[in-house]
């Protein structure tokens, strides 16, 4: 994973998933011109892990 610091932009998406615990959040670098996200989380556990990684950097 690319180090993104604490400046990022995120977007959310709705899906047709029947799993109530699934959601998608895409994180983008605020100052990067890349269109692809630096991180995609699909559930609450992945989101928490990502926030913990940010906190350690």
């Amino acid at each position: 994973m690319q180090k993104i610091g604490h400046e990022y932009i995120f977007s959310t998406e709705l899906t047709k998933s029947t799993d109530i615990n699934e959601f998608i959040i895409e994180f983008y670098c605020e100052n990067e011109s890349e269109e692809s996200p630096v991180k995609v989380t699909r559930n609450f556990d992945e989101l928490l892990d990502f926030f913990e990684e940010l906190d350690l950097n």
Side-chain angles (χ1 to χ4, degrees), residues 1-13:
M1 182 177 78
Q2 180 182 6
K3 183 177 177 181
I4 64 170
H6 292 280
E7 295 182 23
Y8 51 87
I9 298 169
F10 68 92
S11 70
T12 60
E13 293 183 30

Side-chain angles (χ1 to χ4, degrees), residues 12-57:
T12 60
E13 293 183 30
L14 297 176
T15 66
K16 294 182 181 183
S17 173
T18 58
D19 183 357
I20 62 171
N21 296 314
E22 182 178 331
F23 56 87
I24 298 173
I25 300 177
E26 298 177 334
F27 292 89
Y28 298 85
C29 288
E30 185 174 53
N31 298 327
E32 296 288 326
S33 61
E34 293 183 28
E35 293 184 19
S36 59
V38 293
K39 180 70 176 179
V40 177
T41 61
R42 300 188 187 290
N43 58 52
F44 192 67
D45 289 333
E46 288 180 7
L47 181 62
L48 287 179
D49 289 343
F50 178 63
F51 287 151
E52 287 176 359
E53 287 176 25
L54 288 177
D55 199 31
L56 294 175
N57 291 327

